[in-house]
Amino acid sequence: MTAPDEILSLHNIACGYENHGLGIFRHRKKRTVLHDVELHILKNEFFGLVGESGCGKSTLAKAILGIVPFSGRMCFDGQEIKPDLIKDRKTIARQIQAVFQDPLSSLDVRRTVGQTLQEPLCIQRIGTKKERYERAVAMLETVGLDASYMNRFPSELSGGQRQRVCIGASLILNPQFLIADEAISALDVSVGSQILNLFVELHEKMDFSMLFISHNLDVVHYLCDRVAVIHNGTIVETGTADEIYYNPMHPYTKKLIASAKFGMS
């Protein structure tokens, strides 16, 4: 049973990939990436998931988005998302959206910014052509751009501008839940800071929860209310951002913090 104040709850989530091998003697072997993941994210909460590369962070994001199958129990806003029903991407997309690491690869280089922003509205059959255009312009202004960007292509934008467009496209359906998977790691420090501040501003204007995935504990501590630390596909520690950052209990969390401080020295 999901608590009334929870937007997403994960119970014993496991996920893996099949390795078919090479050559005539190849055989199927499943590699488990996530092991009995347990997470509870509250409504309107910014929740951080931190861990090094290859620990299963992005796989968990894909499981929530319905891109990869999983075992266990997943509930969103009180409704169970069954593994055999995750093919209904259109329904999931109305409520759960994502922003990924590389904005250029997330955007169709053949589409203008205006077409990209209006596409989710077209797919969901929301509004008239005029209403979709007006909504796209309004979203551009919300993410710190303006109507002059509507006819531009991704190649004409900077990395930060592309990521703002991706964020706008992810929020134009007013989803309840946003996943940001290493959303600033491909940007330089100053632009990344601007995107972090944009998330804060958007959170004040719009009612959504967010799972912010990163390898950078400093960034997660700055942005998030609570944090979970994942290591080798397993959640090893969960707590408030201050608890995790200033009083870590697990050796792996202590190692992450030590590495972050060493990197700043």
Side-chain angles (χ1 to χ4, degrees), residues 17-22 25-31:
Y17 301 99
E18 281 190 351
N19 182 2
H20 294 275
L22 299 172
F25 299 108
R26 65 182 182 271
H27 62 281
R28 291 186 177 183
K29 184 178 180 181
K30 190 168 184 178
R31 181 174 71 91

Side-chain angles (χ1 to χ4, degrees), residues 111-115 117-118 133-134 136-154 156-157 161 165:
R111 290 178 177 269
T112 64
V113 168
Q115 290 171 327
L117 290 174
Q118 293 173 80
Y133 182 88
E134 291 174 347
V137 170
M139 181 53 72
L140 275 177
E141 294 173 352
T142 299
V143 298
L145 302 174
D146 57 51
S148 68
Y149 287 83
M150 285 289 285
N151 294 319
R152 298 190 192 184
F153 289 90
E156 300 176 275
L157 307 179
Q161 290 167 344
V165 172

